[in-house]
Amino acid sequence: MTIKASRATISDVAKAANTGKTSVSRYLNGEKHLLSEALLERIERAIAALDYRPSQMARGLKRGRTRLIGLIIADITNPYSVNVLSGIEAACREKGFTPLVCNTNNELDQELHYLDLLRSYQVEGIVVNAVGMREEGLSRLQQSALPMVLIDRKIPDFACDVVGLDNNQAATTATEHLIEQGFEALLFLSEPLGTVNTRQERLKAFRHTAARYPGIVAQNEETPLHETERLDNILRQFHQQYRGMRKAVISANGALTLQVARSLKRIGLHWGADIGLLGFDELEWAELAGVGITTLKQPTWQIGYAALEQVVKRIEGHEETVREQVFSGELIVRGSTAR
């Protein structure tokens, strides 16, 4: 039977170096100038021989700092979330924090569980991608006294820093592009609006922009992500209703764009030839699908990085007024919106 070796402690190091725990603690905390050269050398040899690794959690708690940041992500399979996480992780590395990532999978029980768990780990702040979170989970967030930054979604009546896309600019750019390409009937498709400000703001900018152009037909529909029959009927009716006009669909996010592409295939319509298609969020497969799908790319890495920067400022005691940081999107034109 193999017996697992016990982990070396600071007492073991002190004993091996023939000194006290106070001296070893000074060494570990960067106070080496208080120790003699001979003692430094003995401590270094002892640490190497014992393969001693101090508990960062214990050291942090002793100093009142864990340097942990909690990240609550509604759906880690969403490409948007993955790219945002990459920016957050880069900023954590640069600023000396460790991220604890919690994927709620859009489940209320998981949202509440992770909120409690992060508090128990004594994280110093939280970054939340709240799209998809239920009202009860959002309410629990508001009760937390931790420094917090929201990504991509505001919570009604909750004063909190937010980082995300300039939805007005992005939706205006997308709508104007379709009109300039000669499309006459436009359909803005989103998941149910509810209280999700990103969907509301994109729809508002779409309507406002289309209204500036006489003769342009502008409709909008809401559909749950996986109700395929409803989506098929919406697209089929839109195509039939405006027969003889150039038609295009704007999809409000990447997950919905995939469902729209599948639906168009099911009902026998080809983007680029039979109908235009433009989707929010850049998708890796967009350039490979048929003639390519035009997208509105979000600077997701920059959004994640900025969110972590802002929560660190709050942790460090910055008391500036609550701010909303927005980034411009980039239109990537492909064959789905060609003339």
Side-chain angles (χ1 to χ4, degrees), residues 229-290:
E229 188 175 344
R230 172 173 169 75
L231 182 55
D232 290 354
N233 287 334
I234 288 171
L235 293 172
R236 190 183 291 113
Q237 289 173 13
F238 175 67
H239 183 257
Q240 293 171 351
Q241 186 174 355
Y242 298 104
R243 195 175 296 278
M245 299 175 70
R246 293 201 71 211
K247 300 166 286 290
V249 175
I250 297 181
S251 167
N253 63 52
L256 185 57
T257 300
L258 175 59
Q259 297 308 318
V260 170
R262 286 172 168 164
S263 178
L264 291 174
K265 188 174 181 180
R266 283 194 298 271
I267 64 178
L269 295 177
H270 299 89
W271 54 85
D274 304 317
I275 193 167
L277 176 58
L278 186 155
F280 275 78
D281 301 334
E282 171 64 349
L283 304 161
E284 285 189 357
W285 52 268
E287 64 178 332
L288 306 174

Side-chain angles (χ1 to χ4, degrees), residues 22-192:
T22 300
S23 295
V24 178
S25 181
R26 284 174 175 167
Y27 175 93
L28 295 171
N29 290 321
E31 299 173 348
K32 297 179 183 181
H33 62 284
L34 299 174
L35 308 175
S36 68
E37 288 295 327
L39 182 51
L40 281 174
E41 190 176 329
R42 293 205 307 274
I43 292 173
E44 286 170 358
R45 282 204 305 266
I47 286 173
L50 294 169
D51 192 26
Y52 173 70
R53 289 179 172 80
S55 167
Q56 297 302 324
M57 177 71 79
R59 292 176 71 196
L61 290 173
K62 189 174 180 180
R63 296 193 300 266
R65 296 289 304 270
T66 62
R67 301 200 75 79
L68 296 175
I69 300 285
L71 309 179
I72 298 181
I73 306 297
D75 179 9
I76 206 167
T77 65
N78 187 320
Y80 174 91
S81 299
V82 174
N83 294 331
V84 165
L85 272 176
S86 179
I88 292 173
E89 196 271 336
C92 278
R93 272 202 320 271
E94 184 177 304
K95 298 181 182 302
F97 284 84
T98 299
L100 292 183
V101 182
C102 302
N103 174 38
T104 69
N105 203 32
N106 288 317
E107 295 175 8
L108 177 60
D109 288 346
Q110 285 293 86
E111 291 164 6
L112 301 180
H113 166 69
Y114 280 134
L115 282 170
D116 292 337
L117 186 68
L118 290 174
R119 276 198 292 269
S120 74
Y121 273 100
Q122 298 187 36
V123 297
E124 296 191 36
I126 300 180
V127 177
V128 184
N129 178 11
V131 171
M133 286 189 75
R134 314 297 199 285
E135 295 306 314
E136 189 176 341
L138 297 176
S139 176
R140 186 77 67 92
L141 274 180
Q142 294 178 60
Q143 296 166 18
S144 171
L146 288 167
M148 188 182 306
V149 174
L150 303 177
I151 289 179
D152 199 45
R153 177 179 175 183
K154 302 169 191 172
I155 299 176
D157 304 317
F158 180 33
C160 186
D161 296 317
V162 180
V163 181
L165 182 69
D166 184 338
N167 291 303
N168 181 66
Q169 173 267 334
T172 298
T173 297
T175 308
E176 287 178 342
H177 168 72
L178 292 176
I179 294 171
E180 289 165 2
Q181 291 298 102
F183 291 100
E184 305 156 292
L186 308 179
L187 173 64
F188 182 93
L189 263 181
S190 72
E191 294 173 69

